[in-house]
Amino acid sequence: MKLPVHTSPYGSLPNNVTRVMGEVLLALVPGIIALVYYFGWGVLINIGIAVTTALAAEAGVLRLRKRPVRPALTDLSATVTAVLLAIALPPLTPWWMTVLGVLFAIVMVKHLYGGLGYNPFNPAMAAYVLLLVSFPVAMTQWLPPVLLNEHPLSFVQTLSAIFGGGLPDHLTWDTITSATPLDAMREQLKMNKTISEIAQNPMWGDFGARGWEWVGNWFLLGGLFLLWRKVITWHIPFAMIAGLLLASGLFWLFDPESMPFPGFHLFSGGMILGAFFIATDPVTAATTSKGRLVYGFLIGLTVFIIRTWGGYPDAVAFAVLLMNMAAPTIDYYTQPRVFGARDKDNA
Amino acid sequence: MSMSNREIIANGLWNNNQALVALLGLCPLLAVSNTLINGLGLGLATTLVLISSNATISFIRNWVRQEVRLPVFVLVIASFVTAVELAMNAWFHDLHKILGIFIPLIVTNCTIVGRAEAFASRNPVPQSMLDGLSIGMGFTLVLMTLGALREFIGQGTILSGVHLMFGEAARGLSFSMGNDFHGLILAILPPGAFFGLGLLIALKHVIDKRNAARAASRVETVPAEAAPAEG
């Protein structure tokens, strides 16, 4: 009797794009709930706008390319791109900016390069950079976290602000929005204030800014879930955080009055979200284990460099895009030794 | 070797458009196409240089030895660029200030030395001048299209700065969406030039493909109609 011979692996979990993307979405939930709690309904409305646009754009482009539409819509990858972009945007972003960003991400960054799996740049971050460079004012108008917000907007008020740009009569944009912590820190350092003077302001909490640090913690929880489910490996987040902490720590030890505490860097802006959810994008990141360490470390380092000396307050998007460009080269130089080959053969 | 005048014009404007097909002269193309008028100014200057350098090189082509032809071409081109630059400085001083270094840099534009080598050094003077004109107009048209697109998307205007070229009387021709317009600033920045050029090239491919398909279907139908007559 002949038995069929199978090759390994003998036992495997169903592993496909839908499962991976679904778990990424699930892992984002705690962070999103925290964002909604601290910054109001705008976050959810943005996610709604972004996901709707992304699915419509994906379907439209696939029809144009004469590809099957249904599998690409149900694999959730467009949804993940849209959600990642939406939570990176300020809560009161006008609706058309969100739509424009998502269209750019799906049509230009993803499909013009060949669709899922072929894009060299992270679509969500490319779209974020497009919006940040093009609309610098609107993109830096964040709401203060709820603990400090004197005029929290209701759901309907948020909706009208996003779709019509209208605010309740007694409010103006200047009274309800404020700079992000990274922006505030940057401006005050420019005015030659010392860190201990800046820290007097009620917006600062234990590590980073109040509210923001907790959002970071909840995203961290989601990231650990992804690690546990083996959707991502530890290399990129670890190396990215290490790169940032090492660089900021060195400078902080050297000059603690003009360089912010490393923990502040870690829990401000998009760092945690970037380390676990954005830099780990399997399509655009480096793929070898050693390469991932290099890739993550360089992102962390670049984030610190741009935040400290660059022209923009936050830098995760820029750093990720720059390293996307470097990823193929990093992979080339970090190819692992083929099992059984000697080092000489590989060189 | 010799081409009909019709072919020369079609080549310069479309089939062998230096910006869309040969992808030559990208540096000025991307740097100066931020408004329509800038594009027009640089395009016309380039055209003028192309016509005069093509004519001169074609005229001297039988006396220049093969070994030294490139230095000679560059000398000729550089002389004309200098003349055009001085002329622009005199008569379009403000436009000259905006275009700045890109006018002297016309001398390094690969299109011009490319046409000198590929066309003017092998063809008689009239054809070479026509080639210079059509290649230059093809380049100018792309510069203007890209400039208009970037200007409109980036700052919501068309023909801004028209008075720099056509005098104060033309100032009313420029059109603006008003100050409330949220331009996509990226379109004005260098990345916008790359995106815009990429999309224009894609558009040209689409048109060419459609034309080819139409031509193919015409070829198929014509013999079918002609067959009974032959029979």
Side-chain angles (χ1 to χ4, degrees):
Chain A
M1 191 176 103
K2 254 190 177 176
L3 289 172
V5 180
H6 292 292
T7 55
S8 61
Y10 298 106
S12 63
L13 280 171
N15 191 7
N16 55 41
V17 178
T18 311
R19 182 189 77 92
V20 170
M21 294 296 170
E23 288 190 345
V24 171
L25 284 179
L26 196 63
L28 281 168
V29 169
I32 293 175
I33 293 176
L35 273 176
V36 173
Y37 172 75
Y38 285 111
F39 299 103
W41 293 105
V43 184
L44 272 190
I45 300 174
N46 280 347
I47 293 180
I49 299 172
V51 171
T52 318
T53 319
L55 292 180
E58 181 93 6
V61 178
L62 285 169
R63 274 188 79 104
L64 270 180
R65 297 179 65 202
K66 304 194 175 67
R67 297 283 173 97
V69 172
R70 185 179 279 263
L73 287 190
T74 49
D75 77 5
L76 295 177
S77 67
T79 314
V80 168
T81 300
V83 172
L84 285 177
L85 175 64
I87 54 187
L89 294 175
L92 292 185
T93 311
W95 66 273
W96 56 269
M97 277 189 208
T98 315
V99 170
L100 185 74
V102 174
L103 284 181
F104 182 76
I106 299 290
V107 179
M108 302 280 280
V109 186
K110 186 174 168 193
H111 277 291
L112 282 193
Y113 286 98
L116 180 67
Y118 294 96
N119 46 311
F121 296 103
N122 185 311
M125 286 303 100
Y128 180 79
V129 166
L130 169 88
L131 294 176
L132 181 64
V133 171
S134 294
F135 310 106
V137 178
M139 288 293 288
T140 43
Q141 276 177 338
W142 270 85
L143 293 176
V146 67
L147 326 158
L148 303 167
N149 194 345
E150 289 159 17
H151 314 282
L153 296 180
S154 70
F155 182 75
V156 178
Q157 285 168 336
T158 314
L159 210 59
S160 80
I162 289 178
F163 280 94
L167 289 171
D169 289 335
H170 58 289
L171 296 177
T172 63
W173 284 100
D174 286 344
T175 52
I176 61 162
T177 59
S178 72
T180 63
L182 278 169
D183 213 1
M185 175 65 84
R186 186 185 166 78
E187 287 307 314
Q188 305 211 14
L189 281 175
K190 258 194 211 159
M191 291 189 267
N192 284 328
K193 289 194 180 171
T194 60
I195 297 283
S196 42
E197 279 170 11
I198 298 172
Q200 304 294 320
N201 192 307
M203 74 186 288
W204 305 108
D206 301 328
F207 293 108
R210 269 194 214 176
W212 294 81
E213 50 191 8
W214 278 99
V215 174
N217 285 342
W218 288 110
F219 277 126
L220 183 65
L221 194 71
L224 294 178
F225 169 76
L226 287 185
L227 275 179
W228 173 61
R229 298 290 299 164
K230 295 199 169 62
V231 172
I232 59 176
T233 61
W234 59 273
H235 304 83
I236 292 177
F238 169 79
M240 187 165 154
I241 290 170
L244 180 81
L245 289 185
L246 206 68
S248 58
L250 272 180
F251 277 89
W252 175 70
L253 281 179
F254 179 68
D255 186 2
E257 278 304 307
S258 67
M259 288 290 169
F261 181 65
F264 164 79
H265 273 293
L266 189 58
F267 286 99
S268 303
M271 192 57 198
I272 296 286
L273 179 70
F276 285 94
F277 291 91
I278 291 167
T280 50
D281 171 17
V283 178
T284 56
T287 48
T288 62
S289 299
K290 224 193 290 172
R292 284 178 174 158
L293 287 175
V294 176
Y295 172 85
F297 187 84
L298 287 176
I299 293 181
L301 196 64
T302 317
V303 168
F304 174 74
I305 292 173
I306 301 181
R307 276 185 185 176
T308 313
W309 296 289
Y312 285 92
D314 200 1
V316 174
F318 291 110
V320 167
L321 288 184
L322 281 172
M323 288 311 137
N324 282 168
M325 250 184 274
T329 317
I330 295 175
D331 275 344
Y332 178 83
Y333 284 107
T334 53
Q335 278 178 19
R337 190 165 60 93
V338 178
F339 183 71
R342 283 165 304 172
D343 272 348
K344 248 192 279 174
D345 299 340
N346 225 6
Chain B
M1 181 69 236
S2 72
M3 289 198 290
S4 72
N5 289 346
R6 209 195 167 85
E7 278 174 329
I8 295 178
I9 294 175
N11 265 351
L13 293 184
W14 188 260
N15 294 336
N16 188 22
N17 188 304
Q18 297 294 293
L20 294 184
V21 179
L23 294 182
L24 289 179
L26 284 189
C27 165
L29 180 76
L30 297 175
V32 178
S33 62
N34 47 3
T35 69
L36 198 159
I37 288 297
N38 286 358
L40 181 65
L42 190 87
L44 288 184
T46 310
T47 309
L48 208 59
V49 173
L50 257 171
I51 298 175
S52 17
S53 73
N54 262 11
T56 316
I57 286 163
S58 171
F59 184 67
I60 59 173
R61 70 183 189 278
N62 293 328
W63 297 302
V64 178
R65 288 181 60 95
Q66 199 60 6
E67 296 85 347
V68 294
R69 65 187 198 286
L70 283 179
V72 174
F73 294 167
V74 172
L75 276 179
V76 170
I77 294 166
S79 325
F80 283 116
V81 170
T82 313
V84 167
E85 203 221 337
L86 289 174
M88 281 188 82
N89 201 352
W91 287 299
F92 300 101
H93 184 66
D94 288 327
L95 190 62
H96 179 268
K97 264 198 286 192
I98 293 175
L99 295 182
I101 186 68
F102 288 100
I103 303 173
L105 276 181
I106 291 175
V107 78
T108 62
N109 190 332
C110 310
T111 303
I112 299 175
V113 82
R115 291 325 287 172
E117 166 77 9
F119 198 94
S121 63
R122 297 160 197 200
N123 285 289
V125 176
Q127 273 95 324
S128 299
M129 288 180 70
L130 184 66
D131 180 71
L133 178 69
S134 63
I135 291 277
M137 286 331 281
F139 187 65
T140 310
L141 285 177
V142 175
L143 264 174
M144 282 170 63
T145 318
L146 197 55
L149 276 177
R150 289 178 64 192
E151 181 181 351
F152 183 72
I153 298 173
Q155 56 192 39
T157 61
I158 292 281
L159 283 172
S160 73
V162 67
H163 57 283
L164 298 176
M165 192 130 186
F166 298 105
E168 287 300 317
R171 199 182 269 272
L173 284 177
S174 69
F175 161 83
S176 169
M177 295 282 283
N179 292 330
D180 290 344
F181 184 79
H182 288 277
L184 199 64
I185 298 172
L186 193 83
I188 297 285
L189 299 174
F194 282 99
F195 280 121
L197 184 69
L199 291 176
L200 284 184
I201 294 174
L203 183 68
K204 181 177 185 294
H205 279 270
V206 169
I207 295 175
D208 280 348
K209 235 182 204 170
R210 200 160 285 176
N211 285 346
R214 203 172 296 158
S217 70
R218 207 175 297 144
V219 168
E220 274 169 29
T221 55
V222 167
E225 284 166 8
E230 279 172 15

